[in-house]
């Protein structure tokens, strides 16, 4: 169990870019992941329950020993739904020293079959679940499903890990 060291910020499916990032005035997910100036190593970004539609790229950078934590609020289901996106990944991680915790990444697209052979059919609207480029990142107790692939760990993602995930 990690005890948060810094300040708390909040995100909601109904948040907005000009928000303060507070519980009463939460950010949208895209804004929170761009690494707002207020967010520092050791801080926690709490994702309120609900569905976040689209694909998202995180540029959050904590520091070794003081990661930024991006975590679903306890007992609330947090879902990133890529829908019928055709580019990117549900969550692309380009920052560093950030832990993602208790988040579901999935596609609600009803198209499940293709007549094209091979691993990359062009007529399925699905993107990978999580693409990891950030070093020293962790993915804890996440659920990744019904995407074009679970996790992709790329060479810049040194010392990154997944723990307690369900991937199907």
């Amino acid at each position: 169990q990690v005890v948060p060291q810094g300040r708390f910020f909040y995100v909601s499916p109904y948040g907005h870019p000009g928000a303060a990032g507070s519980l009463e005035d939460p950010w949208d997910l895209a804004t929170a992941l761009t690494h707002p100036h207020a967010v520092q190593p050791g801080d926690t970004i709490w994702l309120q329950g609900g569905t976040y539609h689209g694909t998202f790229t995180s540029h959050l950078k904590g520091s070794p020993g003081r990661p930024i934590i991006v975590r679903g609020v306890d007992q609330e289901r947090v879902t990133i739904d890529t829908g019928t996106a055709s580019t990117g990944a549900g969550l692309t991680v380009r920052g560093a020293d950030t832990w993602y915790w208790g988040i579901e990444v999935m596609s609600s697209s009803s198209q499940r079959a293709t007549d094209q052979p091979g691993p990359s059919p062009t007529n399925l609207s699905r993107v990978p679940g999580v693409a990891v480029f950030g070093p020293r990142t962790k993915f804890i107790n996440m659920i990744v499903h019904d995407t074009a692939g679970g996790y992709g760990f790329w060479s810049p993602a040194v010392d990154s890990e997944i723990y307690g995930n369900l991937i199907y």
Side-chain angles (χ1 to χ4, degrees), residues 20 23 33 49 69 72 120 159 163:
L23 184 58
L33 296 177
I69 309 289
S120 301
D159 297 328
Y163 174 83

Side-chain angles (χ1 to χ4, degrees), residues 82 88 107 119-121 124-129 144-151 168:
T82 65
S107 171
S120 301
L124 274 181
S125 296
R126 275 184 208 280
V127 295
V144 181
H145 64 95
D146 295 312
T147 59
Y151 281 87
Y168 60 95

Side-chain angles (χ1 to χ4, degrees), residues 25-159:
D25 190 22
W27 288 317
D28 66 315
L29 183 56
T31 299
L33 296 177
T34 62
H35 199 136
H37 293 294
V39 178
Q40 299 298 313
D43 289 347
T44 300
I45 298 174
W46 291 101
L47 305 183
Q48 295 177 336
T51 302
Y52 298 82
H53 295 278
T55 58
F56 299 91
T57 300
S58 176
H59 297 279
L60 293 167
K61 290 184 182 176
S63 63
R66 288 184 52 85
I68 294 172
I69 309 289
V70 179
R71 186 172 185 181
V73 171
D74 289 339
Q75 307 300 315
E76 294 187 20
R77 185 175 182 174
V78 174
T79 302
I80 294 174
D81 180 0
T82 65
T84 59
S86 59
T87 60
L91 177 62
T92 300
V93 176
R94 298 208 175 267
D97 299 295
T98 302
W99 298 5
Y100 302 86
W101 199 329
I103 303 166
E104 176 184 22
V105 180
M106 52 83 72
S107 171
S108 63
S109 172
S110 61
Q111 185 181 5
R112 303 272 187 229
T114 179
D115 57 359
Q116 295 180 1
S120 301
T122 59
N123 64 346
L124 274 181
S125 296
R126 275 184 208 280
V127 295
V130 182
V132 185
F133 298 90
R136 297 172 306 279
T137 53
K138 293 186 182 187
F139 303 87
I140 304 163
N141 298 342
M142 292 183 50
I143 301 171
V144 181
H145 64 95
D146 295 312
T147 59
Y151 281 87
F153 279 83
W154 302 98
S155 56
V158 295
D159 297 328

